[in-house]
Amino acid sequence: MHEDNAFTAAVSLILSGDAVLGEIVRLSLAVSLTALLVSAIIGLPLGAALALARFPGRSFLVVAFNALMGLPPVVAGLMVYLMLSRSGPLGWIGILFTPSAMIVAQSLLITPIIVSLTRQVVEDLWGEYEEQLRSLGSTRLQAIPTLLWDGRFSLITTILAGFGRASAEVGAILIIGGNIAGYTRTMTTAIALETSKGDLALALGLGIILLTITLLLNAAAYATGRIAQKVAG
Amino acid sequence: MHGSFSILPLRAEGLTYNIAGRALVDDISFEIARGTRTIIMGPNGAGKSLTLRLCHGLLKPTLGSVTWNGAAYTEGRKRHAMVFQRPVMLRRSALANLTHALSLTRSSPRDALSRANEALARFGLVELARRPARILSGGEQQRLAMARAWALDPEVLFLDEPTSALDPTATRAVEDMIKAFHADGMTILMTTHDLGQAQRLADEVLFLHRGRILEQTPAKEFFERPRSDAARAFINGELLW
Ligand SMILES: Nc1ncnc2c1ncn2[C@@H]1O[C@H](COP(=O)(O)OP(=O)(O)O)[C@@H](O)[C@H]1O
Ligand SMILES: [Mg+2]
């Protein structure tokens, strides 16, 4: 198929609401958004706690989470694969090659981003607020919700960054999900497969949707920053 | 205003604060009686801000002690508050800054809200209630910080150069608030480098120089007949450090 035709075909595929394409997009969003939710629930309090707590080994954890932000998706996939494969320690759960396992793998990728960026945001705010909050009688523990709320705009950007990483990665979900049509096939794994098979229309259609999502994410991050300027000063 | 139980007098005994072996606050002792307005004066770097922070419990003394009404003060809810040179406002509305502070005293949300509104109304800040606190002017923010302190109903208020970053109008507004607090029965311990302000507000002056107390004198007497040479030089504008 010629590229021009592929592009036209891709657009009409999107506009016609193609069922296969729709299902792939739905699954991708479901997996990445669930992973994002899991990571935010773990990462926001953990990041804030890491910012405020003082204990031996804290520096090591800070460096470790920073390093994990750059964890290659295929390596994350491999690690989760080793855990979940039949002979692995968590093999008995039997979720390898299911969307649940993909959520686990993506959570592993996003959580360090949310932890590290949250720690930075909360640490900076604490530096600014510490004296005032202590004067008001706040303990470090009580300061955690205060600082998370006051960092809300930066944290939204952080969460958007996490979602960006999850929705763009292919290595982890390919290994863990297996790219099974109609079950674990996502936008990125489908693009990889369809391109190699030569079905450029579907690949391109998914690519356009992925790009649009990225664009929307960045617009949202930008708008958040502008609103923050107005509201938070 | 607090019934018969008072945390005052506040007593500092042999208060010393060292950093890297240098005594920045050096063995100072004084007593603050209920209902007084005491102004700590002294040249730059004399240890005024450190002394306030030690009394407020933000810093732990290296040696010596701060005691309230005879007992080392460890009660959960603080009965003293502090206003800083630069107000630190949270990234939320003016009203939410007050309710946040009140929630830390274990007030119920309903009580916190009504007390916060009362404080804003008392000091003419109602129009600011919904505005984001951090984009208010410096003077508005400092008045808000004062109202926040007042809402906590402290028995003692510490103020560290509360007007040094403000224009004359805002300075007057803050001074009026300090007078109102005092009229409500609050005990005031503040620092300022503004001699005029000290003369307008002080009942007594605690004069610090190089981390030591040179005198604690009734205000009128301090400005007319200071006991120490350093204080005399300071009043004449000859002692800057
Ligand atoms: N955290 C600190 N580390 C080192 N020196 C400090 C610190 N805080 C205050 N100082 C020094 O202690 C002295 C007294 O400080 P301060 O109480 O702030 O003076 P002031 O009387 O002007 O308020 C100053 O010389 C100041 O430089
Ligand atoms: Mg000072």
Side-chain angles (χ1 to χ4, degrees):
Chain A
M1 198 186 287
H2 193 269
E3 272 81 1
D4 284 347
N5 301 338
F7 186 78
T8 323
V11 172
S12 67
L13 212 53
I14 296 171
L15 294 181
S16 69
D18 181 74
V20 173
L21 181 133
E23 174 53 25
I24 292 174
V25 173
R26 193 201 60 78
L27 179 73
S28 302
L29 291 178
V31 166
S32 294
L33 285 172
T34 310
L36 188 66
L37 185 69
V38 171
S39 305
I41 289 171
I42 299 172
L44 290 173
L46 192 60
L50 201 53
L52 295 183
R54 291 288 170 269
F55 55 92
R58 177 183 173 275
S59 311
F60 171 78
L61 276 184
V62 168
V63 172
F65 274 110
N66 282 343
L68 283 175
M69 283 204 288
L71 182 67
V74 285
V75 176
L78 178 61
M79 283 160 57
V80 176
Y81 183 91
L82 291 174
M83 298 297 283
L84 294 180
S85 70
R86 194 157 314 150
S87 54
L90 299 178
W92 54 272
I93 310 175
I95 57 167
L96 193 61
F97 304 126
T98 67
S100 303
M102 294 155 71
I103 291 169
V104 172
Q106 290 208 329
S107 301
L108 192 67
L109 282 176
I110 321 174
T111 302
I113 295 184
I114 298 189
V115 169
S116 290
L117 297 181
T118 300
R119 180 196 54 74
Q120 191 62 57
V121 167
V122 170
E123 221 168 78
D124 291 349
L125 276 177
W126 178 244
E128 188 187 339
Y129 288 177
E130 176 178 2
E131 210 169 39
Q132 180 68 58
L133 290 181
R134 284 180 54 216
S135 167
L136 294 172
S138 173
T139 62
R140 283 173 177 256
L141 196 64
Q142 287 173 316
I144 288 179
T146 304
L147 298 173
L148 285 177
W149 179 249
D150 272 47
R152 59 197 177 278
F153 296 109
S154 310
L155 294 175
I156 288 172
T157 313
T158 295
I159 286 171
L160 290 174
F163 184 66
R165 173 145 157 104
S167 56
E169 73 91 12
V170 55
I173 43 175
L174 185 61
I175 295 177
I176 296 305
N179 196 24
I180 304 164
Y183 185 47
T184 60
R185 181 161 299 171
T186 63
M187 290 191 272
T188 53
T189 60
I191 291 172
L193 177 74
E194 300 304 333
T195 306
S196 68
K197 279 195 341 195
D199 183 355
L200 295 183
L202 183 55
L204 210 51
L206 291 166
I208 291 169
I209 293 174
L210 209 52
L211 266 179
T212 309
I213 291 173
T214 310
L215 197 67
L216 289 175
L217 279 179
N218 280 287
Y222 180 77
T224 305
R226 294 298 293 260
I227 294 170
Q229 273 295 310
K230 275 219 183 82
V231 173
Chain B
M1 80 198 271
H2 288 278
S4 53
F5 174 69
S6 171
I7 60 169
L8 290 162
L10 154 64
R11 193 169 290 125
E13 269 165 310
L15 205 55
T16 301
Y17 188 71
N18 291 346
I19 288 185
R22 231 179 94 221
L24 302 172
V25 172
D26 193 2
D27 190 21
I28 68 177
S29 302
F30 59 88
E31 191 176 308
I32 303 295
R34 194 173 178 179
T36 52
R37 288 172 298 180
T38 304
I39 299 212
I40 304 182
M41 304 207 76
N44 266 323
K48 306 181 294 291
S49 297
L50 289 176
T51 301
L52 283 189
R53 281 168 173 75
L54 287 164
C55 291
H56 189 41
L58 290 175
L59 297 174
K60 273 207 164 48
T62 311
L63 287 171
S65 63
V66 172
T67 50
W68 295 90
N69 197 10
Y73 177 68
T74 51
E75 193 189 325
R77 180 197 189 306
K78 278 196 177 174
R79 301 271 299 269
H80 44 101
M82 182 153 173
V83 169
F84 298 88
Q85 182 170 1
R86 294 195 172 278
V88 180
M89 287 294 148
L90 304 185
R91 289 160 169 78
R92 23 187 121 182
S93 72
L95 181 67
N97 266 278
L98 268 61
T99 53
H100 168 265
L102 286 159
S103 73
L104 289 169
T105 66
R106 294 193 216 96
S107 308
S108 71
R110 175 199 290 257
D111 290 349
L113 187 62
S114 75
R115 179 70 180 165
N117 279 316
E118 185 188 345
L120 293 178
R122 166 86 203 259
F123 299 105
L125 298 169
V126 172
E127 295 90 86
L128 306 183
R130 304 274 156 209
R131 304 251 304 272
R134 295 175 66 93
I135 54 179
L136 299 174
S137 75
E140 288 169 332
Q141 287 194 40
Q142 191 62 304
R143 280 155 63 210
L144 192 60
M146 300 280 292
R148 175 170 63 188
W150 182 86
L152 299 171
D153 191 22
E155 208 184 325
V156 179
L157 182 64
F158 298 105
L159 304 112
D160 191 11
E161 307 255 6
T163 62
S164 66
L166 305 182
D167 62 46
T169 314
T171 296
R172 186 147 359 100
V174 168
E175 285 184 13
D176 286 345
M177 289 175 87
I178 294 171
K179 286 178 189 158
F181 290 7
H182 182 245
D184 282 354
M186 244 178 243
T187 300
I188 306 286
L189 183 59
M190 72 179 269
T191 69
T192 181
H193 62 247
D194 177 346
L195 283 170
Q197 180 169 73
Q199 277 172 307
R200 287 190 293 276
L201 293 177
D203 296 321
E204 62 171 5
V205 173
L206 203 73
F207 186 72
L208 279 187
H209 185 36
R210 298 193 179 138
R212 296 184 150 270
I213 289 193
L214 296 190
E215 58 180 291
Q216 182 174 9
T217 314
K220 196 162 151 39
E221 187 184 333
F222 178 83
F223 291 108
E224 286 168 5
R225 282 171 280 114
R227 292 169 197 169
S228 55
D229 292 339
R232 192 169 309 116
F234 177 74
I235 291 169
N236 294 331
E238 291 153 10
L239 184 70
L240 299 176
W241 300 99

